[in-house]
Amino acid sequence: MLERPLTKRTLGILMVAGGVLGFVGSLVVDLMPGGMGIIGPTQAAAMVGCVVAAIVGLTLIPLGDRPA
Amino acid sequence: MNASRWFVWAGRALLALALVIFVGYLLIYIHYAFALFQFPFDYDQGEGFELYDTLLFSRGEWPYRENETYPFYASNYPPLFHVIAAPLVHLFGPQYWIGRSLGFAGTLVNAAVIAYAVYREVPRRAIAAPIAAAIAALSGLAFLASNTVYHVGPLFRQHMCMVMWETLAVVTLARSRGWRGLALGGLCLVAAGYTKQLAVISIAAAFLFLFLRNPKRALIWGVGVAAVGAAIFLWIDASTGGQWWLNTVAANVNQYIPGQARDLYLQWFGLHGALIIPAALLALYELYFDRLSIYSVWFAVATVGAALSGKWGAGDSYFATAIAAMCILAGIFAARTWAGDWRFEPNYITRLARRIIPRRAAPPAGEGANAPRAARRLGYVLVPVIFLTYALAVRHMPTEGPVFGPLSRTLRMEANTGFAFFDSAGWVVGYARLGQIPTEADHAAGWRIVSYIEATEQPVLSEEAGFMLAAGREVVSNPTQLQNLYFNGLYDPTALTDMISAQAFAHVIYRAQFYPPPVLEAVAAAYAPVDTIPMNGFEYVILAPKDQAARE
C-alpha cells in the first residue's frame, strides 16, 4: 500500500484531518500556560489557512481513487 | 487569411514584443550587476559580513565563534556559499565582486533551469519548436525581470544561490524515476539548506511531492537526506564547540511582525499577479483534473513559507523561491494554453459546470477532448498578454545615464525611490531599498569613511565590515547577530560595553544602530558624533571618544 500513489480521496482526508487538528491546535495554544488569551493576527491567519485546507480536502474526497 | 491564422500571427507578434521587453529587462539587470561588481563597499546591509565569512573560510577558519570575547564576531549563515567563494577570495583578496558575481551567476543559472523545465513540459506535437522556445525563454527571463530578483540577485548574499539549488533540485526530482535522480535532487536540497536555512521549505515541498507519488520511497529518501544533512550538521557543531547551533539556529529566532508579512504578500501579488494567477490555475487544474506536479506542490508550499518574510530582518527576498516556482508553472500554463492542451476528466466539477455554464462554452470532458477552436484562438493572444501584463507590472529602470536617461524620460518613468531609479514596487517595510546604480559620490564617501579607520592604529567598531576590510583591518562585531542573540537571552555584552566605556575603539561607525541596547547606551555615554557621511542613501555616522570629539 505504501508503494502506491496517494489517491485524491486519501489526500482529501489527510487535508481535512490536518486542517481540523491545526485549527484546534491553534486554539489550544491560548489555553496553555503563558497563552495570551486572545487570537493574534498570526494565529488568525494560521486558523484561516487550516479552514481553507480542510475545505479543499473535503472537495477532493469525492474524486475517489484517482492518483493525487 | 482565415481567423485562426490571424490569431496565430497576432500571438506570434505579441510574443516577439514580449521577448524584446524581457531582453531589455535582462540588459538593465546586467548593467546593474556590473555597476555593483565595481563598488568596493557594502551596498546592502550585511554584505561585508558575508565577505568576511568567506575570508575566514579562505584561511581555513570557521566563522561560528564565541561572541562574548574580542572581536565579538560570529556568522549566522550556513557555509556553502562562502565556501564556494573562498578560493576566489584566496586568489584575489576580500573583493565584493566575487560574491556578487556568484549571486548574479546563480540567478542566470536559475533562469536557464526554469526555461529548460518549461521547455521540457511543452506538449511538443501541438506547438511549434520556436514558439515553445519563446515561451520557455520568457518564463526564464520573467524570473530575472522580477523586482525582487533584480535588486537582490547581484549582491554578496547567499539567498539567490539557495534558490538556484532549490530549482535545480525540484527540476531534477520532477521526472526522477530511479534512485540516482532522487539522490541528485536530494543532494541539491542539502546544498540549498547549507546555503541558507530557509531551504527547509523546499525540502518539505519535495518530500510532500514524493510522498504523494510513493510514500515508502519518500520515507526512505527523507531518511537519507536527513541523515546526510544531520551528519554535516553534527560535524560542524562538534568542530565549532557548539557555536554552529548557537549562531545559525538559536540566533535566528526573531520577532515576528504580521503587518510586514501582510504588506509583502500584497506587494508580491501586485507585482507578480499576472503570473501568479496562471500558476495558481494550473495548480488547481492539477489538483482536480490531473496529478499534482512537483512544481504545484513547490509553489503552494513556497507561497505559504513566504510568511516567514514577516520575521524581523527578513524581506521580499523570501518570496524568491515562490517566484521561481511561479515562473515554471506560468510557463507551462502558457504552453498548454497555446497548444490548447487542456483535458477535463469527468468528475462532479465538470458535471456541475455543465449545469451552470451554457453547453457550447463548457469545458470539454474526456480523454483527448482538447480546448474548442474559439478558446485556442483566444489562447494565442492570451499567452503573450500574460507576459506583457507582467512586464508592465514589474517596471524598473535607472533614470540617469546616456541610455537610461533619455529612455526613462521617453517611457515616462521618473525616479521615485529617492535615487536615480524608478521602481514600480513602491516601498513597504521589508522591501529592500536597492536597485539604483552607485554614484561617484558613493565611491568617494566609502573611501572617506575608510580614511578614518586608516588614520588610527586602534581598533574601530564598525557596523559595516566592508570599510574594515578595505582598510586591511580586523572586523570587530556583527551587530545584528549580537542583537538577535541578546534578545534571545544568549549574549552577555559586558566585555564589549567595557571596551566601549574604556574608549578602547578609536571610532564607532554607525549605519542603522542595530547593536543590542546596552551597547548603544555605552556608545552614547562614551562617544560623540564627529562626522556624518551619506552613502547609498544611508547616513554613516562617525563617532569618536567624547573628549576628542569636543576638541574637533
Side-chain angles (χ1 to χ4, degrees), chain B residues 489-503:
Chain B
L490 299 168
Y491 172 62
D492 175 4
T494 304
L496 178 55
T497 54
D498 285 349
M499 279 188 76
I500 293 166
S501 300
Q503 299 183 332

Side-chain angles (χ1 to χ4, degrees), chain A residues 1-8 11 14-15 41-42 55-63 66-68, chain B residues 211-217 219 256-258 285-293 345-349:
Chain A
M1 180 190 168
L2 280 173
E3 293 182 20
R4 287 206 300 259
L6 257 66
T7 63
K8 300 275 188 196
L11 177 61
L14 288 174
M15 288 178 73
T42 310
I55 291 171
V56 171
L58 281 173
T59 65
L60 289 177
I61 292 172
L63 297 178
R66 289 170 185 168
Chain B
F211 191 83
L212 290 176
R213 292 297 167 101
N214 185 325
K216 182 181 174 184
R217 191 180 60 178
L219 290 169
Y256 190 78
I257 309 158
Y285 169 82
E286 289 180 354
L287 187 63
Y288 290 104
F289 300 104
D290 202 342
R291 298 185 75 179
L292 280 168
S293 67
E345 297 292 327
N347 62 28
Y348 75 93
I349 298 170

Side-chain angles (χ1 to χ4, degrees), chain B residues 363-389:
Chain B
E367 189 66 35
N370 281 345
R373 183 179 293 176
R376 287 201 64 179
R377 283 177 182 168
L378 190 63
Y380 295 136
V381 178
L382 178 68
V383 167
V385 164
I386 287 171
F387 286 104
L388 287 168
T389 307

Side-chain angles (χ1 to χ4, degrees), chain B residues 64-137:
Chain B
Y64 315 110
R65 301 167 159 216
E66 168 63 62
N67 286 284
E68 293 183 1
T69 55
Y70 187 86
F72 315 108
Y73 184 85
S75 172
N76 66 328
Y77 290 126
L80 187 60
F81 178 65
H82 309 120
V83 167
I84 292 170
L88 293 170
V89 166
H90 187 75
L91 278 175
F92 298 104
Q95 303 291 326
Y96 279 88
W97 64 261
I98 293 168
R100 287 173 182 163
S101 56
L102 278 177
F104 176 65
T107 58
L108 297 185
V109 170
N110 210 334
V113 174
I114 288 169
Y116 167 73
V118 171
Y119 192 78
R120 197 173 62 175
E121 300 293 331
V122 167
R124 299 286 166 76
R125 288 179 192 166
I127 196 163
I131 299 297
I135 291 173

